[in-house]
Amino acid sequence: MAKGNFKLYQFLLNSFPLILLFFFALTGYSLSLKFFAINISFNFIHLIVFYWVLRKPEMLGYGLIFFAGIVNDVVQNLPIGISSINYLLLCVIASFFRTRTLVPNLIYDWILFLIAILIVSSIHFSLLSIFF
Amino acid sequence: MSTESSRDDFIIAIRSAFLKKGNRQKFSLFTLIIISILVLSLEYFKTGPINQFRSITKDIIFRGSYIVSSPFKYVKDKYYLFQDHMSMYDEYSVLRDKNLDLDSLKKEVDFYKSENALLKKLIEERELFSKEYMLTKILLDKQSPYLKSVIINKGQKYGVKLGSAVKDRLYYIGKVVNVNFLSARVLLASDLNSKIPIIIEPSGINAILSGNGNDEYAELEYLPKNNEIKENEIVYTSGSDGTIPASIPVGKIIMQGNKHYVKFFSNLNQLNYVQVNK
């Protein structure tokens, strides 16, 4: 019985990033704050994808990230496929940093995340304004 | 020598990021990016089997999203119900103080309606819009500062058309911007991309109502410079775009400094059922 519980716990723990990813993709929730008439929005999916691909890539499959992008596009009314490109580019950047980093550091991770977001958001904006 | 080796490392890291399949990964990132670009290029096909497939996929995802968000929707509904209960006494007092003679007003409106119908017949004006509305349920309420839209549970199968006006009780709230087989997306009047031709009564001034991402009020564009619009004047749809029927009330004028805003009659955060023009 205890072994069964442990297995379930292990399964839930391993599926946690996946559950979180699809929860945010399906509901489209994002934290929005108004700061001096400027809207600031946090996209949790970017954070989840970047963190897990950087730290534990075996827990989040690239195929599922692609699928989460498609779901997010449908929910957010974006051209289908654009979020998948964003998330996969984020994966490329995270994967690149993973192979280049020798000693992991949380502050560096956040700085790299900001750089990655800057690149991905620029590509997202360029694609939308050029083609759609 | 060291520059060359660091360049090699850089290229190896990029190649590994794009092409290497990690543990438990079935596809390389390069393959998936190519697939994503192919999927994105399918957006150019707006008709035919690809569009039908897209429509069915969207319906399935909307239903899934509805199930996942239902506990949160329940909590939100309960919160607004609680708020309504708290403000019930104040609202009752306001309504009692107004002391409107609704019955006589209704008779007056009926008289004007019949007079209007007669006059229209006299000038042989044709009715461009259907007066029939169908009741639909809100499946998803997607509201962020950059997107104010709702998903309704009726689509092409039930006769929902692109551009149809959507009302909450008597008031205009938005129009249909995307129709799937069993669902449709309604762009709310508060969305940043929403622009509707309106008329302000009784001054009779035409303008464009432009959403600004705010749930309570929207902005007015293309107003004449020397207008004499007063606070609390009523804003109706003008119907001049040929898709939205005329004379649906939208909101009333409020002033902030020298700027005019339109306060919506309907609470766009608490929509459960809406009516779509057939």
Side-chain angles (χ1 to χ4, degrees):
Chain A
M1 188 67 184
K3 206 173 181 182
N5 279 346
F6 181 73
K7 268 189 178 171
L8 180 75
Y9 170 74
Q10 198 73 12
F11 172 76
L12 284 175
L13 203 68
N14 286 335
S15 320
F16 177 67
L18 205 65
I19 294 166
L20 217 57
L21 180 72
F22 276 92
F23 168 76
F24 284 116
L26 277 166
T27 53
Y29 280 121
S30 60
L31 183 68
S32 298
L33 300 168
K34 200 151 188 174
F35 188 71
F36 291 111
I38 303 167
N39 279 319
I40 301 168
S41 251
F42 291 100
N43 191 327
F44 291 110
I45 301 181
H46 284 162
L47 204 64
I48 293 164
V49 169
F50 189 81
Y51 177 77
W52 265 282
V53 173
L54 191 69
R55 288 274 163 261
K56 291 245 175 211
E58 65 279 2
M59 283 174 86
L60 210 55
Y62 295 145
L64 290 165
I65 293 172
F66 163 79
F67 190 62
I70 301 282
V71 171
N72 187 62
D73 287 333
V74 172
V75 173
Q76 303 272 3
N77 200 25
L78 288 166
I80 297 174
I82 201 154
S83 292
S84 300
I85 294 177
N86 288 345
Y87 300 161
L88 293 169
L89 282 175
L90 208 61
C91 291
V92 170
I93 297 166
S95 180
F96 171 76
F97 287 142
R98 194 180 62 238
T99 42
R100 296 284 287 177
T101 313
L102 295 175
V103 186
N105 182 317
L106 196 67
I107 295 167
Y108 286 159
D109 286 354
W110 276 105
I111 295 168
L112 296 176
F113 176 66
L114 290 178
I115 295 169
I117 286 294
L118 204 68
I119 297 167
V120 168
S121 301
S122 309
I123 292 169
H124 174 81
F125 180 74
S126 310
L127 281 174
L128 278 182
S129 48
I130 295 168
F131 297 108
F132 297 97
Chain B
M1 188 71 182
S2 69
T3 329
E4 253 180 46
S5 88
S6 93
R7 198 194 301 150
D8 283 350
D9 283 353
F10 183 78
I11 291 165
I12 289 165
I14 286 197
R15 198 187 292 164
S16 140
F18 267 107
L19 300 171
K20 200 180 162 191
K21 285 187 227 169
N23 262 352
R24 295 175 63 196
Q25 303 285 10
K26 288 195 178 71
F27 306 97
S28 72
L29 281 168
F30 182 72
T31 319
L32 286 168
I33 288 174
I34 296 293
I35 296 171
S36 304
I37 292 168
L38 285 174
V39 171
L40 192 61
S41 62
L42 293 179
E43 278 288 310
Y44 278 101
F45 299 95
K46 297 286 178 202
T47 51
I50 290 172
N51 193 45
Q52 276 177 354
F53 177 71
R54 191 166 37 223
S55 175
I56 292 164
T57 313
K58 280 183 179 180
D59 279 335
I60 294 167
I61 292 173
F62 286 145
R63 291 303 193 269
S65 185
Y66 172 65
I67 294 163
V68 173
S69 8
S70 50
F72 299 92
K73 196 172 178 296
Y74 177 79
V75 173
K76 190 180 147 192
D77 288 348
K78 289 290 159 206
Y79 168 73
Y80 283 118
L81 190 72
F82 176 73
Q83 268 197 337
D84 282 350
H85 272 92
M86 295 303 280
S87 58
M88 197 183 275
Y89 181 75
D90 291 340
E91 274 175 23
Y92 164 73
S93 311
V94 169
L95 289 172
R96 192 185 52 193
D97 292 346
K98 274 188 178 171
N99 195 21
L100 291 171
D101 189 359
L102 288 173
D103 198 42
S104 71
L105 274 176
K106 195 177 171 292
K107 277 179 184 139
E108 207 177 321
V109 168
D110 285 343
F111 168 74
Y112 285 130
K113 267 187 183 172
S114 57
E115 193 186 30
N116 194 28
L118 275 172
L119 289 169
K120 274 186 177 174
K121 210 174 167 185
L122 208 66
I123 58 169
E124 291 176 347
E125 189 186 287
R126 275 194 299 166
E127 281 291 344
L128 288 173
F129 307 104
S130 150
K131 281 183 178 170
E132 280 182 55
Y133 283 84
M134 72 174 120
L135 191 69
T136 63
K137 191 185 172 194
I138 303 282
L139 276 184
L140 275 177
D141 185 353
K142 182 72 206 81
Q143 300 215 24
S144 75
Y146 307 104
L147 178 69
K148 302 272 179 195
S149 71
V150 291
I151 309 293
I152 53 171
N153 71 340
K154 286 193 175 122
Q156 210 177 358
K157 193 185 167 193
Y158 298 92
V160 174
K161 283 176 243 143
L162 202 66
S164 302
V166 182
K167 292 197 305 183
D168 170 35
R169 288 162 298 155
L170 296 171
Y171 312 121
Y172 177 87
I173 55 156
K175 66 176 178 181
V176 175
V177 288
N178 196 329
V179 186
N180 305 313
F181 191 61
L182 292 170
S183 61
R185 186 183 287 272
V186 176
L187 191 76
L188 297 177
S190 57
D191 187 273
L192 286 167
N193 294 312
S194 166
K195 311 266 178 216
I196 342 153
I198 51 102
I199 186 160
I200 303 159
E201 293 292 359
S203 47
I205 293 167
N206 280 288
I208 297 287
L209 183 77
S210 172
N212 57 2
N214 193 304
D215 289 327
E216 286 178 14
Y217 58 86
E219 290 171 21
L220 284 171
E221 288 178 0
Y222 305 106
L223 276 175
K225 269 185 185 167
N226 300 317
N227 59 67
E228 286 179 0
I229 302 167
K230 291 180 195 83
E231 198 152 317
N232 290 328
E233 285 193 11
I234 307 293
V235 173
Y236 297 90
T237 54
S238 70
S240 50
D241 61 345
T243 55
I244 302 165
S247 72
I248 308 174
V250 183
K252 63 179 178 183
I253 299 282
I254 52 166
M255 309 271 278
Q256 275 180 13
N258 287 329
K259 232 179 158 192
H260 300 87
Y261 292 95
V262 177
K263 190 171 177 6
F264 296 117
F265 284 135
S266 186
N267 186 344
L268 303 179
N269 267 322
Q270 288 193 63
L271 303 169
N272 284 319
Y273 294 91
V274 290
Q275 297 177 73
V276 182
N277 193 211
K278 271 188 184 176

